[in-house]
Amino acid sequence: MPFFLVNFANIMPNTFFRFRKFIVFQDQCAMKVGTDSVLLGAWARGGHRILDIGTGTGVIALMMAQRFERSVVEAVELDAAACVQAEENVARSPFAERVKVVCMPVQQMATIGEYEHCFDAVVCNPPFFENALKAPGKERNMARHTDFLPFSDLFEAVRKLMTPGGMFSVIIPFDFKDRLIEEAAISGFMPSRICSVKTTPRKTPKRFLMEFRRVRSTDMVMEEGLLETEPGKRSEWYTALTRDFYL
C-alpha cells in the first residue's frame, strides 16, 4: 500500500504541493509527493555534492538543497515527463542555481567519467516491488517496480558515483529491509544509521530510513520515529523533523 501523507493527504491539491520555501507541481509525475519522500528529504545527511536518484517531481532534491545551503544537487530521472516537471519545479524555486536535473537512467550516469566518485551524499526513494501485479501506466510502474532499477543495479551505480567515504540514504518498506541489506553487502555497503518509522505508537514499523557507507561503522546508529501520536496529531519527532518544510 502506498505510504502517502498520513491523515493530511486531503489538504494536498492534486496538481501541486506547497512547502514553506518552494512549490512542487506534480500533475506530470507518476508518483506524487508523499510521506516517504518528505521523510527521506528531511532525514538524510548531505554533503557538498548531492545526488538524488529517481527524483520524480524533484521534491527530495529541493529539500536537500534547502537544508544544505552550500551544496550542489544533481537529480537524475529516467522518465522524460517527470524530468520536465522537475526542471520546472527547480526553476521556480530559490535553489535553481544549485540544482540540476539530468534525464537518463542512473545506470547510464554511472558510466560517464565526469560523474565517477564525485558525490559525497546520495539519496534515493527507490522502486521496490518485485514480481508484483503492475498498475496501469508505464510511468507509474517505472517509479514503483524494480524492472528498471533492481537493487543490484542501484548499489552498483552508487558504488561508481559516490566518493569512498560518502553516505547513501534510502527509505524502504519494512518487509524489504533485509533484502536491501543483503544487496548492499554484495556491493560492499554496510548500514551506518537506521531509523524505523511507525505511523502510530501501537503499530509495527512501516518504513525504514537507512544510511549505507562503504566504510565499516563501529557505532551504527539505531533510531525510532513516530508519525502520529493519535489520528490526525503529528508526533513531536515528525513535527521537529519537518518543521522547516510544512506550512
Side-chain angles (χ1 to χ4, degrees):
M1 178 180 295
F3 197 54
F4 293 116
L5 292 169
V6 178
N7 285 349
F8 8 96
N10 59 344
I11 68 172
M12 184 176 70
N14 274 338
T15 57
F16 70 91
F17 190 93
R18 186 183 300 274
F19 290 90
R20 285 186 182 274
K21 294 187 177 181
F22 58 90
I23 299 175
V24 174
F25 287 84
Q26 55 185 4
D27 55 296
Q28 298 302 310
C29 293
M31 297 302 292
K32 312 304 182 186
V33 175
T35 302
D36 282 4
S37 53
V38 172
L39 280 170
L40 183 61
W43 180 85
R45 292 193 280 193
H48 296 295
R49 194 167 183 186
I50 301 170
L51 175 64
D52 175 24
I53 297 175
T55 197
T57 61
V59 60
I60 296 175
L62 291 169
M63 291 178 73
M64 297 297 282
Q66 177 179 322
R67 291 176 59 212
F68 303 98
E69 297 177 353
R70 297 184 179 181
S71 67
V72 173
V73 183
E74 298 212 28
V76 63
E77 171 58 50
L78 172 63
D79 178 58
C83 281
V84 171
Q85 187 141 72
E87 288 173 342
E88 292 172 347
N89 287 331
V90 167
R92 294 187 188 98
S93 78
F95 319 115
E97 294 184 358
R98 294 192 290 112
V99 181
K100 176 184 177 183
V101 179
V102 180
C103 191
M104 66 175 66
V106 71
Q107 296 96 322
Q108 179 182 346
M109 187 182 207
T111 67
I112 300 174
E114 67 178 282
Y115 291 119
E116 184 177 3
H117 303 313
C118 70
F119 299 101
D120 52 356
V122 180
V123 293
C124 182
N125 179 6
F128 48 80
F129 285 122
E130 299 174 299
N131 303 317
L133 182 65
K134 290 180 168 62
K138 177 183 176 183
E139 292 78 10
R140 187 166 176 80
N141 287 324
M142 287 167 59
R144 289 162 56 88
H145 292 259
T146 60
D147 298 33
F148 293 90
L149 186 59
F151 290 159
S152 56
D153 281 14
L154 175 61
F155 279 104
E156 179 63 16
V158 173
R159 187 180 65 81
K160 293 177 179 178
L161 295 165
M162 194 172 73
T163 61
M167 297 166 290
F168 175 39
S169 300
V170 302
I171 185 166
I172 201 78
F174 73 100
D175 48 349
F176 288 86
K177 169 176 168 280
D178 292 342
R179 171 67 190 282
L180 193 73
I181 291 176
E182 290 174 2
E183 288 288 352
I186 292 171
S187 296
F189 287 85
M190 291 148 287
S192 54
R193 184 176 169 224
I194 298 177
C195 180
S196 60
V197 182
K198 296 180 178 181
T199 52
T200 57
R202 295 185 178 182
K203 297 283 183 68
T204 57
K206 294 296 185 183
R207 288 293 189 269
F208 282 92
L209 290 155
M210 306 182 71
E211 177 189 277
F212 293 91
R213 305 187 73 167
R214 295 195 67 198
V215 293
R216 184 173 295 280
S217 176
T218 56
D219 54 347
M220 187 178 73
V221 177
M222 298 294 296
E223 306 170 354
E224 291 185 357
L226 177 68
L227 296 184
E228 295 182 334
T229 54
E230 57 186 69
K233 186 175 181 180
R234 296 178 188 172
S235 70
E236 290 184 7
W237 176 84
Y238 191 51
T239 298
L241 187 70
T242 59
R243 73 169 71 253
D244 292 334
F245 298 101
Y246 285 145
L247 294 173

